Amino acid sequence: MNFEKVPHTPFAYWVKDTLADHFEHSPNVSTVADIKHGMSTGNNDAVLRAWMEVRYEKICFHADSHDSFNKSNAKYVPYNKGGDFRKWYGNQWYVISYDEKSNELMDSFSGHRHDNKVFYFREGFTWSTVSAGNISLRYTPKGYIFDSKGSMGFTEHQSTLLYCMALINSNVCTECLKILSPTIDFNAGSLRKIPYVEENTSHVVEVTRKLIDLSKEDWDSFETSWDFKTHPLVRGDSVADAYTRWNVECMARFNQLKANEEELNRIFIDIYVLQDELTPEVEDKDVTVRKADLGRDIRSLLSYAVGCMFGRYSLDVPGLAYAGDVWDSSKYSTFIPDKDNCIPITDEEYFEDDIVGLFCAWLKKVYGEDTLEENLDFIAKALGNKGNTSREVIRNYFLNDFFKDHCKTYSVTGSGKRPIYWLFDSGKQNGFKALVYMHRWNADTVGNVRVEYLHRIQRVYESEITRMQEVVGNSKDSREIATSNKRKEKLQKQLKETKDYDAQLAHIALARIAIDLDDGVKLNYQKVQTAPDGKVMKILAKI
């Protein structure tokens, strides 16, 4: 029977003679590649971080050995830990604390294993060992450590590495893994047993390089990549013009990647003589680079703009401008970041320097003053929020949806939300909301938010309540009176909410709580809301 030809004879009665013969007579992947599972930290919360949480300068990205990492005096190194279905490149979320102190800490954890340490920092390919769909291999350059759930493969030559990637990402290998690993567990042992036949090597390797490059271009187009340089819509004379070009670029990349994957499928179907069983087509849903999406990409543009407001990004330098180290004001000339790390979000236009005012100023710097209204209209239409004017629509987005979107963007598979912009939030009445940048937090942040911003909005509410009372007392227009009474009631509720909130902020502000970025979002988010007496004050929006 055919299934007897398959290693360890899994029950696969449906295997065709041709594929079964490859299992019996062809060499397997283990003859050309070392397939290894990696580290078990023993306590991920203690040593693993999303790269965005920590100081960027404390990450060593290009170590090629333990010795070169130690000489770098860095604290963190990139860490492969599986992730969602994505082929060729990406899913680079994690770093591991790997300095001497951290290694000593891990050694104390029950369940810590430093398996296959000799392979750390080597170029290879990685994949998610647990997946509800097909396997997806991704290229990993030098400089990574890997997890038991983000196992890796290594070869002597790069051409062999890329050929292995092409084979295992093909639909021929999908058929092989249905036999070797019929469950959702793509363990290292299963990959080792895949029949390995090498033909047309140079062409396969060339196509695979293109696929990796295309996937990297896509991954680096979004701010959750550590190689992100600038937002793709920050170009052209208007947001609409930039989006049109971005749409063309994404579609070309998507179609090219799909065509290249189908070409590899065709090559391997021919090599393994499976023309009667398989076709080379790839479904759109299995192509793992992104098409343009107007709503998503406009929200992403607003996120980038907020990053510029805080100084995380600059219109004058590529990549990260500030992520927790020494502030360098020379990086900012076109658009100057907010000076005190607090950006208020109000439900009406009370301040010129609130988030909508800053966003308008940023748009003028990027696209020019002449196209401001055109850009606001385009953005508002893409957001689709409520409002009578473009500014109201954008204001309502920042008020109600920005932080939720930010938490989704900075959500790491397996570890939850890791927002880097934190939202002070007084409650359901939207009495007070303000964003701060985690990497610019200091012991006086809460006190500054309270005195310079919360008290400021309270004075505005008091003044507006008085003005509404005067309108009601002097007007003879019943509609105007009703409208003013309604707004006065709303303002009174907001004022009361902010006074209750003020008591909470005061309790925390007196403690002057600083944070350590090495502790990550999860611990610090709780820390800055916990008073010295142990009482927790919910001063930040729930994540």
Side-chain angles (χ1 to χ4, degrees):
M1 296 179 70
N2 286 338
F3 65 83
E4 293 176 345
K5 299 179 180 181
V6 181
H8 302 290
T9 61
F11 190 69
Y13 61 87
W14 44 268
V15 180
K16 302 294 184 182
D17 287 338
T18 305
L19 192 54
D21 286 343
H22 279 297
F23 275 109
E24 183 177 19
H25 299 296
S26 299
N28 56 41
V29 166
S30 69
T31 62
V32 296
D34 291 303
I35 310 295
K36 302 294 183 182
H37 63 81
M39 178 192 296
S40 296
T41 68
N43 185 344
N44 285 346
D45 286 343
V47 293
L48 291 191
R49 297 286 179 263
W51 75 267
M52 305 85 74
E53 299 178 84
V54 303
R55 287 179 174 85
Y56 185 81
E57 284 74 9
K58 296 179 78 170
I59 307 171
C60 179
F61 289 102
H62 304 295
D64 58 7
S65 65
H66 287 84
D67 187 51
S68 66
F69 171 74
N70 292 334
K71 288 179 179 178
S72 73
N73 293 318
K75 182 178 178 66
Y76 299 97
V77 65
Y79 190 77
N80 277 329
K81 191 175 167 55
D84 297 331
F85 177 77
R86 183 178 174 91
K87 289 184 176 182
W88 309 114
Y89 191 90
N91 283 3
Q92 296 165 340
W93 292 100
Y94 286 99
V95 291
I96 185 169
S97 183
Y98 202 65
D99 57 358
E100 183 178 356
K101 183 178 179 181
S102 300
N103 272 286
E104 290 174 356
L105 180 64
M106 282 191 283
D107 286 339
S108 70
F109 297 151
S110 174
H112 171 58
R113 293 178 61 178
H114 230 132
D115 292 348
N116 296 306
K117 188 174 180 178
V118 69
F119 289 94
Y120 294 177
F121 302 104
R122 284 182 52 180
E123 175 189 47
F125 58 75
T126 187
W127 73 97
S128 306
T129 58
V130 177
S131 174
N134 295 331
I135 195 169
S136 56
L137 262 63
R138 294 171 294 278
Y139 173 72
T140 298
K142 292 179 180 179
Y144 287 62
I145 293 174
F146 54 105
D147 187 83
S148 57
K149 299 299 182 186
S151 298
M152 287 190 65
F154 307 90
T155 62
E156 186 175 348
H157 302 291
Q158 189 184 72
S159 60
T160 308
L161 180 80
L162 300 183
Y163 191 93
C164 282
M165 286 187 65
L167 168 62
I168 300 172
N169 270 340
S170 74
N171 61 357
V172 167
C173 185
T174 299
E175 290 300 301
C176 294
L177 287 172
K178 287 178 182 177
I179 303 163
L180 295 169
S181 186
T183 65
I184 62 172
D185 184 9
F186 296 122
N187 58 69
S190 296
L191 264 66
R192 294 186 188 109
K193 299 169 190 172
I194 295 168
Y196 183 85
V197 182
E198 187 171 333
E199 296 177 14
N200 204 4
T201 306
S202 61
H203 183 56
V204 169
V205 168
E206 180 185 0
V207 174
T208 305
R209 286 190 202 280
K210 290 179 182 177
L211 286 162
I212 293 169
D213 289 344
L214 289 167
S215 189
K216 188 176 190 304
E217 284 176 10
D218 171 71
W219 183 258
D220 292 344
S221 295
F222 294 84
E223 65 180 78
T224 44
S225 166
W226 53 59
D227 285 326
F228 172 78
K229 300 304 180 188
T230 191
H231 197 278
L233 299 190
V234 179
R235 57 187 179 185
D237 298 324
S238 68
V239 180
D241 175 53
Y243 180 76
T244 298
R245 287 199 267 172
W246 169 242
N247 186 30
V248 172
E249 178 184 323
C250 288
M251 187 55 68
R253 181 163 50 233
F254 184 95
N255 290 336
Q256 184 63 61
L257 188 137
K258 181 178 179 179
N260 287 352
E261 287 192 350
E262 290 178 343
E263 184 177 358
L264 289 181
N265 283 343
R266 194 173 294 110
I267 290 170
F268 286 113
I269 287 170
D270 289 343
I271 291 173
Y272 286 77
V273 197
L274 294 172
Q275 294 88 344
D276 293 337
E277 283 78 44
L278 299 174
T279 61
E281 286 75 26
V282 175
E283 294 187 47
D284 281 5
K285 67 179 180 62
D286 294 325
V287 178
T288 54
V289 295
R290 288 154 284 197
K291 294 180 180 179
D293 179 289
L294 182 59
R296 179 202 68 197
D297 296 331
I298 291 299
R299 292 192 295 271
S300 173
L301 178 67
L302 268 63
S303 175
Y304 178 71
V306 170
C308 291
M309 295 174 201
F310 281 124
R312 180 172 177 82
Y313 304 111
S314 169
L315 296 176
D316 304 301
V317 298
L320 290 178
Y322 181 79
D325 286 275
V326 178
W327 183 270
D328 182 358
S329 59
S330 69
K331 291 181 177 181
Y332 313 97
S333 58
T334 302
F335 182 83
I336 308 301
D338 181 75
K339 68 179 186 300
D340 60 359
N341 189 34
C342 183
I343 301 175
I345 307 174
T346 57
D347 63 350
E348 295 186 37
E349 188 178 351
Y350 296 126
F351 313 122
E352 288 185 0
D353 62 345
D354 74 352
I355 199 164
V356 177
L358 288 175
F359 182 59
C360 289
W362 183 84
L363 285 173
K364 291 178 185 178
K365 294 294 185 180
V366 176
Y367 306 99
E369 191 166 352
D370 292 344
T371 59
L372 175 62
E373 298 306 320
E374 172 191 342
N375 287 327
L376 289 172
D377 290 345
F378 184 83
I379 290 166
K381 186 176 180 180
L383 291 174
N385 288 64
K386 294 180 180 179
N388 295 320
T389 67
S390 295
R391 284 174 175 77
E392 283 185 15
V393 170
I394 294 168
R395 182 175 300 282
N396 285 331
Y397 171 74
F398 278 123
L399 190 70
N400 299 310
D401 298 318
F402 175 82
F403 187 68
K404 289 185 287 187
D405 284 344
H406 178 64
C407 287
K408 289 176 185 176
T409 299
Y410 285 78
S411 180
V412 183
T413 302
S415 295
K417 300 168 184 175
R418 296 291 183 268
I420 57 172
Y421 309 136
W422 293 356
L423 180 66
F424 283 82
D425 187 358
S426 64
K428 294 181 180 179
Q429 301 299 327
N430 291 327
F432 180 78
K433 285 186 176 181
L435 289 170
V436 300
Y437 178 25
M438 170 188 179
H439 290 68
R440 288 179 63 185
W441 185 285
N442 61 46
D444 295 317
T445 293
V446 177
N448 179 64
V449 168
R450 176 176 178 251
V451 173
E452 300 298 331
Y453 292 91
L454 178 63
H455 291 173
R456 182 181 173 195
I457 194 67
Q458 286 174 340
R459 291 192 294 271
V460 168
Y461 290 152
E462 290 167 349
S463 174
E464 286 295 293
I465 289 169
T466 299
R467 191 167 72 84
M468 291 301 101
Q469 287 172 336
E470 290 174 352
V471 171
V472 171
N474 296 324
S475 178
K476 294 184 174 20
D477 186 327
S478 59
R479 179 176 292 182
E480 185 180 39
I481 292 171
T483 300
S484 298
N485 271 324
K486 184 177 180 180
R487 184 162 184 263
K488 184 181 77 171
E489 290 174 7
K490 172 195 162 190
L491 290 164
Q492 287 171 332
K493 290 178 182 178
Q494 288 181 311
L495 180 60
K496 180 182 183 305
E497 183 179 84
T498 60
K499 289 185 175 181
D500 293 340
Y501 187 63
D502 190 24
Q504 293 180 294
L505 280 188
H507 201 59
I508 296 294
L510 287 172
R512 301 188 69 249
I513 301 169
I515 67 172
D516 184 343
L517 292 174
D518 290 336
D519 290 334
V521 169
K522 189 175 179 181
L523 192 152
N524 280 317
Y525 209 75
Q526 183 71 12
K527 178 181 179 181
V528 300
Q529 299 183 88
T530 305
D533 60 5
K535 191 171 183 180
V536 177
M537 303 290 183
K538 300 295 185 181
I539 61 173
L540 299 177
K542 183 180 179 181
I543 60 172

